[in-house]
Amino acid sequence: MTSDEWVDEAAGPVVRPYAVVRGRTSSGEHTLDLVAFVITVTDAGVPWMNLQPEHSAILELCRTPRTVTEVAALMHIPLGVVRVLLGDLLDVRVIRIREPEAAASGRPNVRVIEEVLAGLMAL
């Protein structure tokens, strides 16, 4: 998804983020870590699903595993909105989430932090 689709030079953002998720601020039961990996497990063109364009864009992006943060950055939409959209997709089981491994202390392992840093620097 390009930024041209989200911004009109004269008017600013075409659709406010809260409108995309119909005012919802959480993804229901799902707590999504910023460095959790998302992968699509079904075709984005599933006819029985009534997907919004943002859902379809996420499914297309996540054919290759991507972190929650990376999805938000590539789509140019706020992280909170992406979390709600991912929650919708989890509810209908068209994506899977792989949470990062936690160290014994409960903190993310150093390797995961280094990978996220490298990914952010690549953007």
Side-chain angles (χ1 to χ4, degrees):
M1 179 152 288
T2 66
S3 60
D4 294 344
E5 296 173 14
W6 286 98
V7 177
D8 174 23
E9 289 182 35
V14 177
V15 178
R16 297 273 183 234
Y18 66 85
V20 171
V21 292
R22 298 179 302 279
R24 296 174 294 150
T25 58
S26 70
S27 58
E29 300 175 16
H30 311 289
T31 304
L32 303 174
D33 195 301
L34 297 178
V35 295
F37 281 93
V38 181
I39 185 133
T40 300
V41 294
T42 190
D43 186 20
V46 176
W48 51 265
M49 286 185 62
N50 185 15
L51 294 175
Q52 294 180 30
E54 296 79 15
H55 290 116
S56 296
I58 290 172
L59 290 175
E60 189 61 37
L61 272 175
C62 294
R63 289 184 184 282
T64 302
R66 301 191 187 275
T67 64
V68 172
T69 307
E70 189 178 6
V71 172
L74 291 171
M75 291 187 61
H76 303 286
I77 58 176
L79 188 57
V81 172
V82 167
R83 283 179 157 170
V84 172
L85 295 170
L86 288 172
D88 294 344
L89 295 171
L90 275 169
D91 287 343
V92 294
R93 298 184 174 142
V94 294
I95 61 169
R96 285 198 186 137
I97 301 289
R98 176 155 185 196
E99 296 289 338
E101 297 175 21
S105 66
R107 296 182 180 172
N109 117 9
V110 174
R111 182 185 54 78
V112 171
I113 294 171
E114 289 172 346
E115 288 178 14
V116 169
L117 181 60
L120 291 172
M121 291 172 63
L123 294 175

